[in-house]
mmCIF file of all heavy atoms in Angstrom:
data_model
loop_
_atom_site.group_PDB
_atom_site.id
_atom_site.type_symbol
_atom_site.label_atom_id
_atom_site.label_comp_id
_atom_site.label_asym_id
_atom_site.label_seq_id
_atom_site.Cartn_x
_atom_site.Cartn_y
_atom_site.Cartn_z
ATOM 1 N N HIS A 133 43.019 -10.823 -28.581
ATOM 2 C CA HIS A 133 44.370 -10.766 -28.013
ATOM 3 C C HIS A 133 44.594 -9.445 -27.286
ATOM 4 O O HIS A 133 45.083 -9.410 -26.164
ATOM 5 C CB HIS A 133 45.407 -10.937 -29.126
ATOM 6 C CG HIS A 133 46.763 -11.171 -28.560
ATOM 7 N ND1 HIS A 133 47.636 -10.135 -28.286
ATOM 8 C CD2 HIS A 133 47.390 -12.298 -28.146
ATOM 9 C CE1 HIS A 133 48.727 -10.617 -27.756
ATOM 10 N NE2 HIS A 133 48.604 -11.931 -27.651
ATOM 11 N N ARG A 134 44.174 -8.363 -27.933
ATOM 12 C CA ARG A 134 44.465 -7.052 -27.353
ATOM 13 C C ARG A 134 43.634 -6.799 -26.093
ATOM 14 O O ARG A 134 44.145 -6.281 -25.104
ATOM 15 C CB ARG A 134 44.183 -5.967 -28.395
ATOM 16 C CG ARG A 134 44.538 -4.582 -27.882
ATOM 17 C CD ARG A 134 44.437 -3.530 -28.947
ATOM 18 N NE ARG A 134 45.150 -3.898 -30.158
ATOM 19 C CZ ARG A 134 45.025 -3.244 -31.323
ATOM 20 N NH1 ARG A 134 44.213 -2.224 -31.395
ATOM 21 N NH2 ARG A 134 45.703 -3.609 -32.381
ATOM 22 N N LEU A 135 42.317 -7.164 -26.141
ATOM 23 C CA LEU A 135 41.437 -6.801 -25.021
ATOM 24 C C LEU A 135 41.487 -7.816 -23.889
ATOM 25 O O LEU A 135 41.313 -7.463 -22.726
ATOM 26 C CB LEU A 135 39.991 -6.669 -25.508
ATOM 27 C CG LEU A 135 39.720 -5.542 -26.497
ATOM 28 C CD1 LEU A 135 38.235 -5.481 -26.797
ATOM 29 C CD2 LEU A 135 40.180 -4.202 -25.924
ATOM 30 N N ILE A 136 41.668 -9.083 -24.245
ATOM 31 C CA ILE A 136 41.520 -10.106 -23.208
ATOM 32 C C ILE A 136 42.858 -10.778 -22.881
ATOM 33 O O ILE A 136 43.388 -10.633 -21.781
ATOM 34 C CB ILE A 136 40.459 -11.155 -23.628
ATOM 35 C CG1 ILE A 136 39.102 -10.449 -23.809
ATOM 36 C CG2 ILE A 136 40.330 -12.261 -22.575
ATOM 37 C CD1 ILE A 136 37.978 -11.349 -24.264
ATOM 38 N N LEU A 137 43.447 -11.453 -23.891
ATOM 39 C CA LEU A 137 44.625 -12.270 -23.574
ATOM 40 C C LEU A 137 45.813 -11.429 -23.105
ATOM 41 O O LEU A 137 46.658 -11.926 -22.356
ATOM 42 C CB LEU A 137 45.015 -13.112 -24.796
ATOM 43 C CG LEU A 137 43.979 -14.197 -25.124
ATOM 44 C CD1 LEU A 137 44.361 -14.961 -26.373
ATOM 45 C CD2 LEU A 137 43.840 -15.163 -23.948
ATOM 46 N N ALA A 138 45.864 -10.183 -23.516
ATOM 47 C CA ALA A 138 46.987 -9.340 -23.081
ATOM 48 C C ALA A 138 47.010 -9.198 -21.566
ATOM 49 O O ALA A 138 48.054 -8.943 -20.963
ATOM 50 C CB ALA A 138 46.878 -7.962 -23.732
ATOM 51 N N HIS A 139 45.833 -9.359 -20.916
ATOM 52 C CA HIS A 139 45.784 -9.183 -19.451
ATOM 53 C C HIS A 139 46.057 -10.480 -18.686
ATOM 54 O O HIS A 139 46.135 -10.461 -17.469
ATOM 55 C CB HIS A 139 44.403 -8.660 -19.034
ATOM 56 C CG HIS A 139 44.063 -7.333 -19.644
ATOM 57 N ND1 HIS A 139 44.698 -6.170 -19.285
ATOM 58 C CD2 HIS A 139 43.159 -6.999 -20.600
ATOM 59 C CE1 HIS A 139 44.204 -5.154 -19.990
ATOM 60 N NE2 HIS A 139 43.271 -5.632 -20.793
ATOM 61 N N GLN A 140 46.134 -11.630 -19.402
ATOM 62 C CA GLN A 140 46.237 -12.903 -18.678
ATOM 63 C C GLN A 140 47.617 -13.026 -18.023
ATOM 64 O O GLN A 140 48.642 -12.837 -18.679
ATOM 65 C CB GLN A 140 46.002 -14.081 -19.647
ATOM 66 C CG GLN A 140 45.862 -15.410 -18.944
ATOM 67 C CD GLN A 140 45.425 -16.528 -19.893
ATOM 68 O OE1 GLN A 140 45.586 -16.428 -21.108
ATOM 69 N NE2 GLN A 140 44.880 -17.602 -19.347
ATOM 70 N N GLU A 141 47.629 -13.322 -16.712
ATOM 71 C CA GLU A 141 48.896 -13.449 -15.980
ATOM 72 C C GLU A 141 49.660 -14.669 -16.498
ATOM 73 O O GLU A 141 49.105 -15.760 -16.562
ATOM 74 C CB GLU A 141 48.616 -13.636 -14.486
ATOM 75 C CG GLU A 141 48.248 -12.351 -13.766
ATOM 76 C CD GLU A 141 49.462 -11.458 -13.560
ATOM 77 O OE1 GLU A 141 50.592 -11.963 -13.652
ATOM 78 O OE2 GLU A 141 49.269 -10.255 -13.322
ATOM 79 N N PRO A 142 50.935 -14.514 -16.827
ATOM 80 C CA PRO A 142 51.675 -15.649 -17.407
ATOM 81 C C PRO A 142 51.868 -16.817 -16.434
ATOM 82 O O PRO A 142 51.935 -17.958 -16.850
ATOM 83 C CB PRO A 142 53.019 -15.024 -17.802
ATOM 84 C CG PRO A 142 53.117 -13.745 -17.037
ATOM 85 C CD PRO A 142 51.732 -13.282 -16.774
ATOM 86 N N VAL A 143 51.945 -16.534 -15.113
ATOM 87 C CA VAL A 143 52.246 -17.619 -14.167
ATOM 88 C C VAL A 143 50.995 -18.430 -13.844
ATOM 89 O O VAL A 143 50.956 -19.652 -13.987
ATOM 90 C CB VAL A 143 52.844 -17.049 -12.866
ATOM 91 C CG1 VAL A 143 53.141 -18.176 -11.886
ATOM 92 C CG2 VAL A 143 54.101 -16.258 -13.183
ATOM 93 N N THR A 144 49.920 -17.734 -13.413
ATOM 94 C CA THR A 144 48.732 -18.464 -12.952
ATOM 95 C C THR A 144 47.708 -18.650 -14.057
ATOM 96 O O THR A 144 46.827 -19.498 -13.952
ATOM 97 C CB THR A 144 48.037 -17.679 -11.829
ATOM 98 O OG1 THR A 144 47.714 -16.376 -12.337
ATOM 99 C CG2 THR A 144 48.940 -17.523 -10.629
ATOM 100 N N GLY A 145 47.782 -17.808 -15.100
ATOM 101 C CA GLY A 145 46.763 -17.886 -16.148
ATOM 102 C C GLY A 145 45.489 -17.123 -15.799
ATOM 103 O O GLY A 145 44.519 -17.174 -16.540
ATOM 104 N N LEU A 146 45.472 -16.410 -14.641
ATOM 105 C CA LEU A 146 44.236 -15.724 -14.230
ATOM 106 C C LEU A 146 44.199 -14.293 -14.779
ATOM 107 O O LEU A 146 45.223 -13.718 -15.153
ATOM 108 C CB LEU A 146 44.157 -15.677 -12.699
ATOM 109 C CG LEU A 146 44.187 -17.036 -11.992
ATOM 110 C CD1 LEU A 146 44.105 -16.856 -10.473
ATOM 111 C CD2 LEU A 146 43.047 -17.913 -12.461
ATOM 112 N N PHE A 147 43.019 -13.702 -14.812
ATOM 113 C CA PHE A 147 42.856 -12.308 -15.245
ATOM 114 C C PHE A 147 42.666 -11.410 -14.024
ATOM 115 O O PHE A 147 41.759 -11.661 -13.230
ATOM 116 C CB PHE A 147 41.593 -12.156 -16.109
ATOM 117 C CG PHE A 147 41.687 -12.856 -17.425
ATOM 118 C CD1 PHE A 147 40.968 -14.013 -17.655
ATOM 119 C CD2 PHE A 147 42.490 -12.344 -18.438
ATOM 120 C CE1 PHE A 147 41.055 -14.659 -18.877
ATOM 121 C CE2 PHE A 147 42.566 -12.988 -19.670
ATOM 122 C CZ PHE A 147 41.857 -14.148 -19.891
ATOM 123 N N PRO A 148 43.473 -10.358 -13.882
ATOM 124 C CA PRO A 148 43.218 -9.414 -12.784
ATOM 125 C C PRO A 148 41.972 -8.575 -13.100
ATOM 126 O O PRO A 148 41.583 -8.452 -14.266
ATOM 127 C CB PRO A 148 44.467 -8.547 -12.768
ATOM 128 C CG PRO A 148 45.039 -8.648 -14.138
ATOM 129 C CD PRO A 148 44.631 -9.980 -14.703
ATOM 130 N N ALA A 149 41.373 -8.007 -12.068
ATOM 131 C CA ALA A 149 40.142 -7.244 -12.270
ATOM 132 C C ALA A 149 40.394 -6.011 -13.137
ATOM 133 O O ALA A 149 39.563 -5.647 -13.964
ATOM 134 C CB ALA A 149 39.560 -6.831 -10.931
ATOM 135 N N SER A 150 41.541 -5.355 -12.960
ATOM 136 C CA SER A 150 41.851 -4.176 -13.776
ATOM 137 C C SER A 150 43.347 -3.926 -13.641
ATOM 138 O O SER A 150 44.051 -4.657 -12.942
ATOM 139 C CB SER A 150 41.063 -2.964 -13.298
ATOM 140 O OG SER A 150 41.502 -2.612 -11.996
ATOM 141 N N ASN A 151 43.824 -2.861 -14.301
ATOM 142 C CA ASN A 151 45.268 -2.592 -14.243
ATOM 143 C C ASN A 151 45.732 -2.256 -12.837
ATOM 144 O O ASN A 151 46.896 -2.410 -12.512
ATOM 145 C CB ASN A 151 45.614 -1.430 -15.184
ATOM 146 C CG ASN A 151 45.190 -1.762 -16.598
ATOM 147 O OD1 ASN A 151 45.099 -2.938 -16.939
ATOM 148 N ND2 ASN A 151 44.904 -0.748 -17.406
ATOM 149 N N VAL A 152 44.769 -1.754 -12.011
ATOM 150 C CA VAL A 152 45.187 -1.331 -10.669
ATOM 151 C C VAL A 152 44.797 -2.343 -9.597
ATOM 152 O O VAL A 152 45.257 -2.264 -8.476
ATOM 153 C CB VAL A 152 44.557 0.035 -10.313
ATOM 154 C CG1 VAL A 152 45.212 1.127 -11.127
ATOM 155 C CG2 VAL A 152 43.060 0.022 -10.565
ATOM 156 N N ASN A 153 43.937 -3.309 -9.956
ATOM 157 C CA ASN A 153 43.457 -4.264 -8.950
ATOM 158 C C ASN A 153 43.842 -5.663 -9.411
ATOM 159 O O ASN A 153 43.372 -6.151 -10.436
ATOM 160 C CB ASN A 153 41.926 -4.121 -8.832
ATOM 161 C CG ASN A 153 41.345 -5.077 -7.815
ATOM 162 O OD1 ASN A 153 42.045 -5.954 -7.313
ATOM 163 N ND2 ASN A 153 40.061 -4.915 -7.508
ATOM 164 N N SER A 154 44.705 -6.328 -8.634
ATOM 165 C CA SER A 154 45.216 -7.625 -9.109
ATOM 166 C C SER A 154 44.349 -8.803 -8.664
ATOM 167 O O SER A 154 44.729 -9.947 -8.832
ATOM 168 C CB SER A 154 46.644 -7.827 -8.598
ATOM 169 O OG SER A 154 46.592 -7.946 -7.180
ATOM 170 N N HIS A 155 43.204 -8.535 -8.059
ATOM 171 C CA HIS A 155 42.365 -9.648 -7.605
ATOM 172 C C HIS A 155 41.674 -10.311 -8.797
ATOM 173 O O HIS A 155 41.222 -9.631 -9.720
ATOM 174 C CB HIS A 155 41.297 -9.165 -6.621
ATOM 175 C CG HIS A 155 41.870 -8.591 -5.367
ATOM 176 N ND1 HIS A 155 41.118 -8.087 -4.341
ATOM 177 C CD2 HIS A 155 43.169 -8.436 -4.980
ATOM 178 C CE1 HIS A 155 41.921 -7.653 -3.371
ATOM 179 N NE2 HIS A 155 43.153 -7.849 -3.742
ATOM 180 N N ALA A 156 41.561 -11.641 -8.736
ATOM 181 C CA ALA A 156 40.908 -12.372 -9.825
ATOM 182 C C ALA A 156 39.657 -13.049 -9.286
ATOM 183 O O ALA A 156 39.744 -13.929 -8.431
ATOM 184 C CB ALA A 156 41.863 -13.413 -10.391
ATOM 185 N N TRP A 157 38.482 -12.637 -9.779
ATOM 186 C CA TRP A 157 37.218 -13.250 -9.364
ATOM 187 C C TRP A 157 36.962 -14.516 -10.189
ATOM 188 O O TRP A 157 37.177 -14.510 -11.407
ATOM 189 C CB TRP A 157 36.067 -12.272 -9.593
ATOM 190 C CG TRP A 157 35.781 -11.358 -8.451
ATOM 191 C CD1 TRP A 157 34.809 -11.528 -7.515
ATOM 192 C CD2 TRP A 157 36.427 -10.128 -8.121
ATOM 193 N NE1 TRP A 157 34.822 -10.484 -6.613
ATOM 194 C CE2 TRP A 157 35.799 -9.611 -6.960
ATOM 195 C CE3 TRP A 157 37.497 -9.417 -8.675
ATOM 196 C CZ2 TRP A 157 36.192 -8.416 -6.352
ATOM 197 C CZ3 TRP A 157 37.899 -8.224 -8.076
ATOM 198 C CH2 TRP A 157 37.251 -7.741 -6.926
ATOM 199 N N ILE A 158 36.477 -15.565 -9.544
ATOM 200 C CA ILE A 158 36.198 -16.807 -10.278
ATOM 201 C C ILE A 158 35.213 -16.534 -11.410
ATOM 202 O O ILE A 158 35.438 -16.887 -12.565
ATOM 203 C CB ILE A 158 35.589 -17.876 -9.330
ATOM 204 C CG1 ILE A 158 36.578 -18.259 -8.237
ATOM 205 C CG2 ILE A 158 35.165 -19.108 -10.123
ATOM 206 C CD1 ILE A 158 36.053 -19.310 -7.274
ATOM 207 N N ARG A 159 34.109 -15.868 -11.077
ATOM 208 C CA ARG A 159 33.029 -15.677 -12.049
ATOM 209 C C ARG A 159 33.516 -14.888 -13.259
ATOM 210 O O ARG A 159 33.349 -15.291 -14.399
ATOM 211 C CB ARG A 159 31.853 -14.976 -11.371
ATOM 212 C CG ARG A 159 30.634 -14.781 -12.243
ATOM 213 C CD ARG A 159 29.552 -13.992 -11.537
ATOM 214 N NE ARG A 159 29.225 -14.517 -10.218
ATOM 215 C CZ ARG A 159 29.686 -14.033 -9.069
ATOM 216 N NH1 ARG A 159 30.484 -12.977 -9.075
ATOM 217 N NH2 ARG A 159 29.347 -14.571 -7.923
ATOM 218 N N ASP A 160 34.152 -13.733 -13.001
ATOM 219 C CA ASP A 160 34.598 -12.878 -14.107
ATOM 220 C C ASP A 160 35.623 -13.600 -14.978
ATOM 221 O O ASP A 160 35.612 -13.482 -16.196
ATOM 222 C CB ASP A 160 35.209 -11.589 -13.561
ATOM 223 C CG ASP A 160 34.195 -10.748 -12.800
ATOM 224 O OD1 ASP A 160 33.509 -11.289 -11.909
ATOM 225 O OD2 ASP A 160 34.064 -9.555 -13.098
ATOM 226 N N ASN A 161 36.510 -14.367 -14.322
ATOM 227 C CA ASN A 161 37.536 -15.078 -15.087
ATOM 228 C C ASN A 161 36.919 -16.091 -16.040
ATOM 229 O O ASN A 161 37.325 -16.213 -17.187
ATOM 230 C CB ASN A 161 38.510 -15.776 -14.136
ATOM 231 C CG ASN A 161 39.662 -14.873 -13.743
ATOM 232 O OD1 ASN A 161 40.759 -14.996 -14.264
ATOM 233 N ND2 ASN A 161 39.401 -13.931 -12.851
ATOM 234 N N VAL A 162 35.909 -16.827 -15.542
ATOM 235 C CA VAL A 162 35.293 -17.849 -16.401
ATOM 236 C C VAL A 162 34.593 -17.179 -17.581
ATOM 237 O O VAL A 162 34.708 -17.610 -18.725
ATOM 238 C CB VAL A 162 34.311 -18.723 -15.595
ATOM 239 C CG1 VAL A 162 33.559 -19.658 -16.516
ATOM 240 C CG2 VAL A 162 35.065 -19.517 -14.538
ATOM 241 N N TYR A 163 33.876 -16.073 -17.315
ATOM 242 C CA TYR A 163 33.189 -15.389 -18.418
ATOM 243 C C TYR A 163 34.199 -14.811 -19.415
ATOM 244 O O TYR A 163 33.968 -14.813 -20.615
ATOM 245 C CB TYR A 163 32.272 -14.284 -17.881
ATOM 246 C CG TYR A 163 30.905 -14.792 -17.459
ATOM 247 C CD1 TYR A 163 30.433 -14.615 -16.171
ATOM 248 C CD2 TYR A 163 30.073 -15.453 -18.374
ATOM 249 C CE1 TYR A 163 29.176 -15.079 -15.783
ATOM 250 C CE2 TYR A 163 28.824 -15.926 -18.006
ATOM 251 C CZ TYR A 163 28.375 -15.737 -16.709
ATOM 252 O OH TYR A 163 27.139 -16.197 -16.348
ATOM 253 N N CYS A 164 35.339 -14.274 -18.910
ATOM 254 C CA CYS A 164 36.335 -13.688 -19.811
ATOM 255 C C CYS A 164 36.843 -14.705 -20.826
ATOM 256 O O CYS A 164 37.098 -14.372 -21.978
ATOM 257 C CB CYS A 164 37.549 -13.205 -19.016
ATOM 258 S SG CYS A 164 37.221 -11.696 -18.140
ATOM 259 N N ILE A 165 37.023 -15.942 -20.375
ATOM 260 C CA ILE A 165 37.688 -16.915 -21.250
ATOM 261 C C ILE A 165 36.727 -17.484 -22.293
ATOM 262 O O ILE A 165 37.153 -18.124 -23.248
ATOM 263 C CB ILE A 165 38.331 -18.044 -20.392
ATOM 264 C CG1 ILE A 165 39.530 -18.674 -21.115
ATOM 265 C CG2 ILE A 165 37.318 -19.097 -20.038
ATOM 266 C CD1 ILE A 165 40.719 -17.747 -21.209
ATOM 267 N N LEU A 166 35.398 -17.234 -22.108
ATOM 268 C CA LEU A 166 34.429 -17.823 -23.047
ATOM 269 C C LEU A 166 34.674 -17.354 -24.484
ATOM 270 O O LEU A 166 34.540 -18.122 -25.437
ATOM 271 C CB LEU A 166 32.989 -17.481 -22.627
ATOM 272 C CG LEU A 166 32.466 -18.240 -21.410
ATOM 273 C CD1 LEU A 166 31.035 -17.820 -21.094
ATOM 274 C CD2 LEU A 166 32.531 -19.744 -21.616
ATOM 275 N N ALA A 167 35.062 -16.067 -24.637
ATOM 276 C CA ALA A 167 35.300 -15.555 -25.995
ATOM 277 C C ALA A 167 36.488 -16.290 -26.624
ATOM 278 O O ALA A 167 36.498 -16.600 -27.823
ATOM 279 C CB ALA A 167 35.569 -14.063 -25.939
ATOM 280 N N VAL A 168 37.505 -16.567 -25.803
ATOM 281 C CA VAL A 168 38.707 -17.254 -26.294
ATOM 282 C C VAL A 168 38.327 -18.671 -26.749
ATOM 283 O O VAL A 168 38.740 -19.137 -27.821
ATOM 284 C CB VAL A 168 39.767 -17.306 -25.173
ATOM 285 C CG1 VAL A 168 41.045 -17.941 -25.680
ATOM 286 C CG2 VAL A 168 40.037 -15.899 -24.632
ATOM 287 N N TRP A 169 37.498 -19.333 -25.924
ATOM 288 C CA TRP A 169 37.062 -20.712 -26.245
ATOM 289 C C TRP A 169 36.235 -20.705 -27.552
ATOM 290 O O TRP A 169 36.440 -21.528 -28.451
ATOM 291 C CB TRP A 169 36.245 -21.242 -25.063
ATOM 292 C CG TRP A 169 35.645 -22.594 -25.245
ATOM 293 C CD1 TRP A 169 36.284 -23.728 -25.632
ATOM 294 C CD2 TRP A 169 34.270 -22.965 -25.009
ATOM 295 N NE1 TRP A 169 35.402 -24.794 -25.669
ATOM 296 C CE2 TRP A 169 34.159 -24.350 -25.279
ATOM 297 C CE3 TRP A 169 33.149 -22.271 -24.584
ATOM 298 C CZ2 TRP A 169 32.950 -25.045 -25.156
ATOM 299 C CZ3 TRP A 169 31.952 -22.962 -24.453
ATOM 300 C CH2 TRP A 169 31.853 -24.341 -24.742
#
Side-chain angles (χ1 to χ4, degrees):
H133 192 269
R134 183 173 310 168
L135 295 184
I136 299 178
L137 292 177
H139 299 290
Q140 190 172 21
E141 282 286 342
V143 179
T144 57
L146 302 180
F147 293 107
S150 66
N151 302 335
V152 288
N153 180 351
S154 66
H155 297 180
W157 271 262
I158 297 180
R159 183 184 309 99
D160 296 51
N161 271 258
V162 173
Y163 276 122
C164 285
I165 207 70
L166 286 180
V168 183
W169 176 52

